[in-house]
Amino acid sequence: MTLVSAHRCLSRVDIEHAISLGADYVEFDVQRTADGSLMLLHDLVDDPPPDTLRYDQALALLAGRARAHLDLKLRGGEIPIVAEAIARLGTDRLLVTTHHDEAVRALRAWADREGHDLQVGLSLGRGVKGFSLWHAIRVRTSELFPGVRYRAAGANVVVAHHWRARLRVRRFARRHELPLVVWTVDTPRSLAHWMRPGRAWLVTTNQPQVAIGLRAGRLRP
């Protein structure tokens, strides 16, 4: 069965809605603001919306109710953030993703030392706006042939934008027997493709009700 992660649940209303739908994971982005606070924000802004949740508030909402999919947008200090989530939710109710190789490496090494069977995914498909042409080419090439990066980082979950997954990444995950997370899948046609058994372990979507309906057979592709 393909699992569903409700994408970008950044407010109390978003989280409660995802839980009410029966999403398997509730996904949110974690940022550190200028004053050091951990907030649920996709983009770091000077004036967060009034309904923005603190990280600890989000964990309290999820505790005992749903699994968390943490997408870490910050750089540095990832281990205490994940340790707090494990303390509140448990290792088996947590998925951590980031596109920073060094963060994956640090988290996996820490988890091994502490005896946590922690799922940490290196996300492929990051934006390259502002990169030099050579740097952008290197990033895109590393995403099509991710073996070196994955071995170096120690990631135990493959995470990819759905177009990257279609090109080569799905075959890489299958060959290495790693769970595949595909993001962000929103159109009915694409959801029907990725929700078919065996194509992905987990699909991240802004349309969790459609994904769940397809999985249950209530909706037709």
Side-chain angles (χ1 to χ4, degrees):
M1 181 180 73
T2 305
L3 302 181
V4 176
S5 178
H7 183 244
R8 205 173 293 181
C9 296
L10 303 181
S11 70
R12 184 180 299 271
V13 171
D14 294 336
I15 291 174
E16 293 290 355
H17 181 59
I19 293 172
S20 71
L21 289 173
D24 301 290
Y25 282 82
V26 176
E27 190 267 359
F28 50 83
D29 305 326
V30 182
Q31 298 265 20
R32 183 181 290 106
T33 58
D35 65 358
S37 300
L38 294 173
M39 306 292 290
L40 272 56
L41 291 167
H42 179 66
D43 298 304
L44 197 55
V45 294
D46 294 331
D47 188 19
D51 62 346
T52 302
L53 282 177
R54 298 193 312 270
Y55 177 58
D56 62 324
Q57 292 175 318
L59 295 180
L61 280 174
L62 292 172
R65 303 174 68 201
R67 287 174 280 192
H69 174 181
L70 307 185
D71 194 24
L72 301 180
K73 300 295 188 184
L74 42 73
R75 299 190 74 162
E78 294 91 355
I79 290 173
I81 294 170
V82 173
E84 183 177 356
I86 290 174
R88 298 294 294 269
L89 307 177
T91 310
D92 61 339
R93 299 182 68 79
L94 184 63
L95 167 67
V96 182
T97 59
T98 176
H99 63 255
H100 298 304
D101 300 50
E102 64 275 15
V104 175
R105 188 179 305 113
L107 284 168
R108 288 290 301 129
W110 169 78
D112 287 345
R113 289 195 304 271
E114 296 296 318
H116 295 307
D117 186 17
L118 181 65
Q119 292 182 303
V120 186
L122 175 61
S123 189
L124 307 175
R126 63 187 294 188
V128 294
K129 184 178 180 180
F131 288 13
S132 68
L133 177 60
W134 175 239
H135 190 187
I137 291 171
R138 287 183 61 193
V139 169
R140 291 293 180 247
T141 302
S142 75
E143 292 169 348
L144 290 173
F145 302 93
V148 172
R149 289 180 65 189
Y150 267 78
R151 284 192 295 272
N156 56 1
V157 179
V158 177
V159 187
H161 183 273
H162 59 97
W163 281 116
R164 303 292 184 280
R166 282 178 185 258
L167 290 173
R168 292 185 60 93
V169 177
R170 178 169 170 257
R171 280 181 287 170
F172 169 81
R174 178 179 291 179
R175 187 167 64 249
H176 293 277
E177 299 183 337
L178 293 170
L180 173 64
V181 175
V182 182
W183 59 271
T184 302
V185 186
D186 287 340
T187 66
R189 183 176 179 181
S190 192
L191 278 170
H193 173 85
W194 286 110
M195 290 302 297
R196 289 174 189 161
R199 293 203 166 164
W201 168 64
L202 181 144
V203 169
T204 300
T205 177
N206 290 303
Q207 304 295 330
Q209 70 280 7
V210 176
I212 292 168
L214 287 166
R215 183 175 68 186
R218 296 193 300 269
L219 298 177
R220 302 185 70 176

